[in-house]
Amino acid sequence: MAIEFISGCKAAAEAARLANVDVVAAYPITPQTSIVEYLAKDVSNGRLKAEMVLAESEHSAMSACVGASMVGARAFTATASQGLALMHEVLFYAAGLRLPIVSVIVNRSLASPVSIFADFKDSLAQRDTGWLQFYVESCQEILDSVLIAYRVIEDSRVLLPAFVCMEGFVLSHLSEPVDVPDVQTVSKFLPACDPKYPTLDLKDPKIFNVMAFPDTYEEFERDKQISMLNAFEALQEAYQDFEKIFGRKYQDVETYRVEDADIVLATMGAAAGTAMMVVDQLRSLGERVGLVKVRTFRPFPRRQLREILSHARVVGVLDRDLSIGSTGILFQELQSSLYNQPQRPLMQNFIAGLGGRDIHQGTIGAIFQSLKDTLQKGFVEKNLNWPDENREVLSIWGLPVDHDD
Amino acid sequence: MTTNYTIKTLPDLEQVAPGRSGCDGCGAVMAARWISKITGQSTIMVNATGCMCVNYGYAGAPLHPYIHSLFENTGSILSGIDAGLRALGKRREVNLVGLAGDGGTVDIGFQSLSGAVERQHRFLYVCYDNEGYMNTGGQRSGATPYGSNTATTPVGSEQQGEGLSLLRRKNMVLVMAAHGIPYAATASIAYPLDFMNKVKKAIEIDGPTYLHVLAPCPTSWGFASEESVKIGKLAVETRFAPLYEVEQGKKIVLDRRRSKGTPIIEYLKAQKRFSHLLKPENQHRVDEIQSQIDESWRYLESLAQE
Amino acid sequence: MTHPWYKSRPFSAWIPAGLSATHKVGDRKERPVVDEAACSMCGLCWIYCPEGIISRDARIQINYEYCRGCGICIEECPKHAISFEDER
Ligand SMILES: Cc1ncc(C[n+]2csc(CCOP(=O)(O)OP(=O)(O)O)c2C)c(N)n1
Ligand code: SF4
Ligand code: SF4
Ligand code: SF4
């Protein structure tokens, strides 16, 4: 093991190398590009023995991953934004064929208007495709999560593909000290690829991707649903082993000072780090506030969240995304998870950080203030909030500052 | 290079089980059967969405590993399989074949195929050309010939069938040859030995190869099921679909013997999709088609000259 | 129709190669019959049959369980050795 000062993209590439992937198929897009460049360099100088498929589009990159995986090779790709949207059709296909492919997503918003900066719109728009989704907070967590992802999705209880998502520029281009393990240590955690799913095998010829009629299609979906939920068990085991081997601890939902908190803020990704500092400040002033970071978004840890939030009186959800015409997506998931609780908290949604707008401590402080007001009032005045809106633009455009769902 | 097959020396072993679905006399299914007859037990086939994935794939006819890809990603699934097999050290064991209709090839799958051959993946890609989107009910595609009455170019008072395709069709073989691939050729299901020997030649090459086989479709072209071979022959004889091979993107071998130059009207009048062209007021369209065919033939001849 | 081989999960919509043989599709108005005396064993019907159900061992034989009666073998036989007979 060696501590190296590397970026999120480099950490992702190092993880793919350590996972000893057989095929890398990808297409360049900011801010993902350097992941593939690093891997190309590794292949070029013999650090990694893999086939590079430098596809002519993301649709083809994902299709090539499918082809490779269908013959039992470990496949890796990375993309973002427009590229991920272009892959959409193939994502369902890969999940339906039960192929354990890992794709690193360097989250970036989508046109139009054009933005190369982070929000979770790209990966959350793929939430129904049957892929596991992990959202990370640090460069170390990127590396670790790719290894954990392969181990979990190649497990015969799971066999579904996975995204490991990091926010573009926020993490992808930020350099942090990362503990890069050696190949031998990794092989103790992640065994060599040994496909537990049916493949294109000359010795046992099968015909893949046939039609399912109404009498079976639903059961195929249900099978994926069950496998997705099985991932919790596989993840738990992987986290334990990971901690034993590497000394770092992960959970599907990470909590910070929630035990006695009346007010809890839930979020995903890098904003959690900033929010933690705000929690500390507020705690020092005597406020009973806490933080929840959802790391595993698919499968969605409903049960864990119910337990963690069983004593909270107000829950705020900070969404770096918006399902236009509804609310933030994490908010929807969390609210529906808590709805049948006998004592459910009041809930408020905060949209921030879209298209790369920084999520500052001040913004998070304002969110906690609003949650505190709600606690005092005892009801939610406004479901959907924009704590960091650009009022100048709103007024020029004549858009209402105060509107609710 | 091994010698060509004759009917006598063709393998008796089928790589296709009986009992497929679809129409009687389907030309595409003949091509599918002949491919795997040559590529044998070690075939892995990737088949785009279309008539063949439904009537051949879902029906369970192939006896070798087979995957129905999506409509447009046959080329890139092939790329991934090729790369995966190489990475696992198993590439030599497998004859990798792509199969797609004209829609899945010249239209929606064009990009992925072009990328895959440009990257020099090893596979044989066969386009069975039934000149339209048949699986969805016979709509026009980029390979539908001028004048055809199709579900989306119906003959009416204002329009006389397909009018968009500049009289000529996209010449997919020359397009593929322009990629500089080692081997690209046309074929017709009317000439099985010719087709199978081209399959044999192609599959032995360590690189991307492309075959474009005319596959008459009784259902959408409008002829009786027993006439598929006859129609396939007429297409070649009238020079509507001449037979030629292009090696290394340069050397063109044109089959002049089979394309003797029968007037195109013989081909048109044998199919219902062209029946409106037989009306006297449409004579000028037939003339246009004939002169286009003559021009294309002269062009091919000029390419074939050393 | 639920397929009997849907027995192991997780399951990625596959069927065994060659499954089509269980579909006996030989449903036709007329059946092609070979006149062995006229047949020269040229093999053209064997190769052209879209269903691949003509065998050419010692003689030409049609597998009627799968023959769809498309008529291609009749049309392409150079010796006119195959003809249709009514099915009843
Ligand atoms: C992305 C996408 N668009 C449209 C379709 C619908 N579709 C299925 S098959 C087909 C036509 C196929 O035409 P072709 O490739 O010529 O093959 P054929 O059916 O003629 O054998 C279409 C339009 C699809 N499956 N996927
Ligand atoms: S529609 Fe044409 S191509 Fe499709 S199965 Fe029928 S005959 Fe074959
Ligand atoms: S085509 Fe006619 S002559 Fe030739 S083998 Fe068949 S039946 Fe005999
Ligand atoms: S009628 Fe058609 S299906 Fe039957 S044997 Fe002859 S060619 Fe084959």
Side-chain angles (χ1 to χ4, degrees):
Chain A
M1 302 204 186
I3 304 290
E4 291 175 33
F5 208 65
I6 57 175
S7 68
C9 281
K10 177 73 176 166
E14 285 292 86
R17 177 184 64 79
L18 291 167
N20 201 12
V21 297
D22 297 306
V23 173
V24 177
Y27 191 83
I29 183 167
T30 303
Q32 153 270 29
T33 5
S34 46
I35 299 179
V36 189
E37 291 172 358
Y38 287 128
L39 285 169
K41 217 178 261 174
D42 284 345
V43 170
S44 167
N45 59 31
R47 252 180 117 215
L48 169 65
K49 275 188 79 70
E51 291 286 326
M52 297 288 293
V53 179
L54 303 172
E56 82 297 333
S57 75
E58 286 88 353
H59 194 286
S60 284
M62 182 49 69
S63 301
C65 286
V66 167
S69 196
M70 275 307 300
V71 291
R74 190 177 275 166
F76 177 83
T77 188
T79 190
S81 183
Q82 316 293 137
L84 182 53
L86 187 57
M87 281 181 184
H88 182 63
E89 184 196 20
V90 196
L91 299 177
F92 290 98
Y93 183 69
L97 288 164
R98 311 305 302 261
L99 303 175
I101 298 163
V102 170
S103 177
V104 167
I105 307 300
V106 187
N107 289 110
R108 165 183 157 182
S109 207
L110 277 102
S112 175
V114 177
S115 167
I116 59 165
F117 302 109
D119 60 36
F120 295 137
K121 192 179 191 173
D122 53 358
S123 52
L124 287 179
Q126 312 300 338
R127 67 185 165 164
D128 304 331
T129 55
W131 285 59
L132 283 79
Q133 295 199 3
F134 304 103
Y135 288 81
V136 306
E137 196 192 330
S138 70
C139 296
Q140 183 72 60
E141 194 179 355
I142 293 162
L143 187 148
D144 295 350
S145 297
V146 169
L147 300 178
I148 292 169
Y150 272 118
R151 154 117 172 210
V152 167
I153 65 180
E154 287 177 2
D155 189 307
S156 58
R157 289 167 292 181
V158 182
L159 293 177
L160 287 168
F163 290 158
V164 175
C165 308
M166 65 169 121
E167 285 142 280
F169 297 108
V170 178
L171 286 178
S172 60
H173 291 62
L174 170 86
S175 285
E176 289 182 333
V178 174
D179 189 344
V180 181
D182 56 48
V183 179
Q184 283 75 16
T185 316
V186 170
S187 67
K188 275 189 244 157
F189 175 74
L190 177 66
C193 182
D194 171 26
K196 308 264 184 351
Y197 51 94
T199 56
L200 291 163
D201 179 1
L202 292 180
K203 287 186 222 79
D204 181 10
K206 295 184 175 69
I207 295 172
F208 285 91
N209 187 31
V210 295
M211 180 98 82
F213 288 93
D215 67 341
T216 50
Y217 190 90
E218 206 171 293
E219 281 63 38
F220 279 98
E221 294 298 278
R222 191 143 159 200
D223 187 30
K224 277 179 271 182
Q225 168 78 355
I226 288 166
S227 299
M228 192 56 110
L229 298 180
N230 284 345
F232 285 129
E233 204 177 84
L235 277 162
Q236 217 43 55
E237 295 167 14
Y239 294 150
Q240 279 166 15
D241 270 12
F242 195 89
E243 193 181 353
K244 256 186 246 152
I245 296 170
F246 301 101
R248 287 183 295 276
K249 193 173 154 71
Y250 290 102
Q251 283 171 302
D252 296 322
V253 182
E254 289 169 10
T255 58
Y256 189 65
R257 306 183 85 166
V258 289
E259 290 72 25
D260 63 338
D262 294 324
I263 297 174
V264 176
L265 181 66
T267 193
M268 299 199 298
T274 317
M276 238 184 247
M277 289 188 261
V278 178
V279 167
D280 283 342
Q281 288 159 16
L282 293 172
R283 280 276 175 180
S284 71
L285 299 172
E287 306 284 357
R288 303 214 302 189
V289 295
L291 177 74
V292 156
K293 184 185 87 165
V294 177
R295 209 185 92 81
T296 305
F297 179 80
R298 278 288 178 277
F300 196 71
R302 293 165 70 93
R303 192 181 303 158
Q304 297 181 42
L305 283 161
R306 278 201 286 268
E307 274 160 29
I308 290 164
L309 296 172
S310 60
H311 301 296
R313 293 168 64 198
V314 178
V315 171
V317 180
L318 169 55
D319 263 297
R320 194 165 206 170
D321 58 85
L322 171 68
S323 173
I324 297 163
S326 181
T327 63
I329 291 166
L330 180 61
F331 181 73
Q332 295 170 7
E333 299 272 348
L334 198 51
Q335 197 173 42
S336 82
S337 303
L338 300 179
Y339 186 77
N340 283 334
Q341 291 297 88
Q343 284 183 313
R344 50 177 191 255
L346 295 172
M347 290 189 70
Q348 259 183 303
N349 193 192
F350 301 88
I351 308 293
L354 302 190
R357 187 167 298 179
D358 274 343
I359 302 176
H360 295 290
Q361 292 192 26
T363 307
I364 294 175
I367 291 172
F368 274 115
Q369 184 56 51
S370 165
L371 293 170
K372 195 177 161 190
D373 293 348
T374 299
L375 180 66
Q376 276 158 4
K377 277 188 239 141
F379 66 93
V380 175
E381 200 167 294
K382 242 171 102 188
N383 250 311
L384 188 72
N385 302 271
W386 302 79
D388 199 17
E389 64 209 351
N390 185 338
R391 295 204 168 208
E392 197 184 332
V393 173
L394 290 177
S395 78
I396 293 169
W397 290 0
L399 293 177
V401 172
D402 272 316
H403 70 99
D404 202 355
D405 58 336
Chain B
M1 189 115 241
T2 37
T3 48
N4 277 352
Y5 285 116
T6 62
I7 289 209
K8 277 221 156 50
T9 62
L10 277 175
D12 276 283
L13 195 63
E14 299 287 344
Q15 295 305 327
V16 178
R20 56 103 191 170
S21 52
C23 320
D24 294 350
C26 171
V29 84
M30 297 164 87
R33 172 179 164 233
W34 298 338
I35 294 167
S36 60
K37 204 174 211 2
I38 304 306
T39 58
Q41 268 168 324
S42 53
T43 305
I44 291 181
M45 184 180 275
V46 182
N47 184 189
T49 312
C51 275
M52 282 306 100
C53 83
V54 177
N55 302 317
Y56 179 70
Y58 305 170
L63 287 167
H64 48 76
Y66 167 105
I67 182 167
H68 161 218
S69 62
L70 296 168
F71 192 12
E72 66 289 298
N73 68 356
T74 304
S76 42
I77 298 263
L78 287 165
S79 306
I81 293 178
D82 179 56
L85 290 172
R86 274 177 210 278
L88 301 176
K90 293 182 182 168
R91 185 61 193 87
R92 295 166 67 113
E93 298 166 20
V94 174
N95 282 334
L96 185 56
V97 179
L99 178 68
D102 48 287
T105 304
V106 314
D107 292 341
I108 198 167
F110 185 71
Q111 174 181 322
S112 78
L113 173 60
S114 174
V117 305
E118 176 275 323
R119 293 188 298 271
Q120 289 285 318
H121 288 289
R122 178 176 184 170
F123 57 81
L124 162 64
Y125 186 104
V126 181
C127 169
Y128 62 91
D129 187 359
N130 53 22
E131 303 189 328
Y133 299 148
M134 298 327 184
N135 188 45
T136 36
Q139 299 83 14
R140 90 168 283 271
S141 78
T144 298
Y146 173 77
S148 303
N149 189 354
T150 75
T152 45
T153 57
V155 174
S157 60
E158 304 297 315
Q159 283 170 10
Q160 297 291 303
E162 166 63 40
L164 298 173
S165 51
L166 300 169
L167 292 171
R168 76 177 82 204
R169 295 167 302 149
K170 198 186 276 189
N171 189 322
M172 196 59 191
V173 167
L174 291 186
V175 170
M176 294 315 289
H179 286 72
I181 61 174
Y183 186 68
T186 63
S188 161
I189 58 97
Y191 305 103
L193 265 183
D194 174 76
F195 175 67
M196 283 186 271
N197 280 316
K198 284 170 176 167
V199 169
K200 178 165 179 277
K201 195 165 175 179
I203 204 71
E204 284 166 0
I205 294 169
D206 183 6
T209 52
Y210 178 83
L211 286 181
H212 194 97
V213 58
L214 188 81
C217 165
T219 310
S220 294
W221 295 9
F223 60 83
S225 64
E226 70 269 21
E227 291 176 338
S228 296
V229 176
K230 181 183 115 183
I231 299 288
K233 274 189 185 140
L234 271 174
V236 174
E237 286 167 3
T238 56
R239 299 174 178 164
F240 173 84
L243 302 181
Y244 55 94
E245 300 172 273
V246 191
E247 282 175 35
Q248 303 301 340
K250 296 191 282 277
K251 204 181 129 220
I252 299 194
V253 182
L254 178 62
D255 184 337
R256 292 186 174 81
R257 182 177 59 87
R258 287 192 177 107
S259 290
K260 52 193 182 216
T262 310
I264 191 62
I265 190 71
E266 298 302 319
Y267 183 62
L268 302 179
K269 74 183 188 200
Q271 305 167 52
K272 278 206 198 71
R273 62 175 170 160
F274 297 121
S275 59
H276 56 288
L277 297 179
L278 305 181
K279 289 189 207 143
E281 67 266 31
N282 279 329
Q283 181 58 45
H284 67 286
R285 293 179 197 275
V286 176
D287 295 342
E288 276 170 355
I289 295 172
Q290 183 67 64
S291 67
Q292 176 54 47
I293 283 174
D294 295 344
E295 191 190 316
S296 294
W297 177 257
R298 281 195 298 275
Y299 178 60
L300 278 178
E301 279 196 310
S302 75
L303 294 179
Q305 251 144 37
E306 248 320 286
Chain C
M1 167 191 59
T2 305
H3 298 298
W5 50 90
Y6 285 8
K7 54 182 181 244
S8 67
R9 56 174 299 274
F11 198 87
S12 61
W14 59 266
I15 54 173
L19 184 78
S20 64
T22 57
H23 314 145
K24 304 284 163 65
V25 293
D27 174 27
R28 58 205 165 248
K29 287 197 211 74
E30 296 169 302
R31 74 162 52 193
V33 176
V34 184
D35 172 0
E36 284 180 26
C39 168
S40 68
M41 287 296 290
C42 72
L44 277 180
C45 58
W46 165 74
I47 198 62
Y48 275 124
C49 171
E51 315 311 314
I53 45 109
I54 300 183
S55 56
R56 59 158 186 180
D57 304 335
R59 58 200 178 92
I60 292 296
Q61 267 182 306
I62 295 170
N63 185 340
Y64 293 111
E65 284 189 327
Y66 301 102
C67 167
R68 298 154 153 265
C70 70
I72 288 182
C73 54
I74 299 177
E75 192 75 11
E76 296 310 318
C77 173
K79 301 282 174 197
H80 306 289
I82 315 180
S83 53
F84 270 141
E85 279 178 13
D86 265 355
E87 294 273 3
R88 255 168 310 112

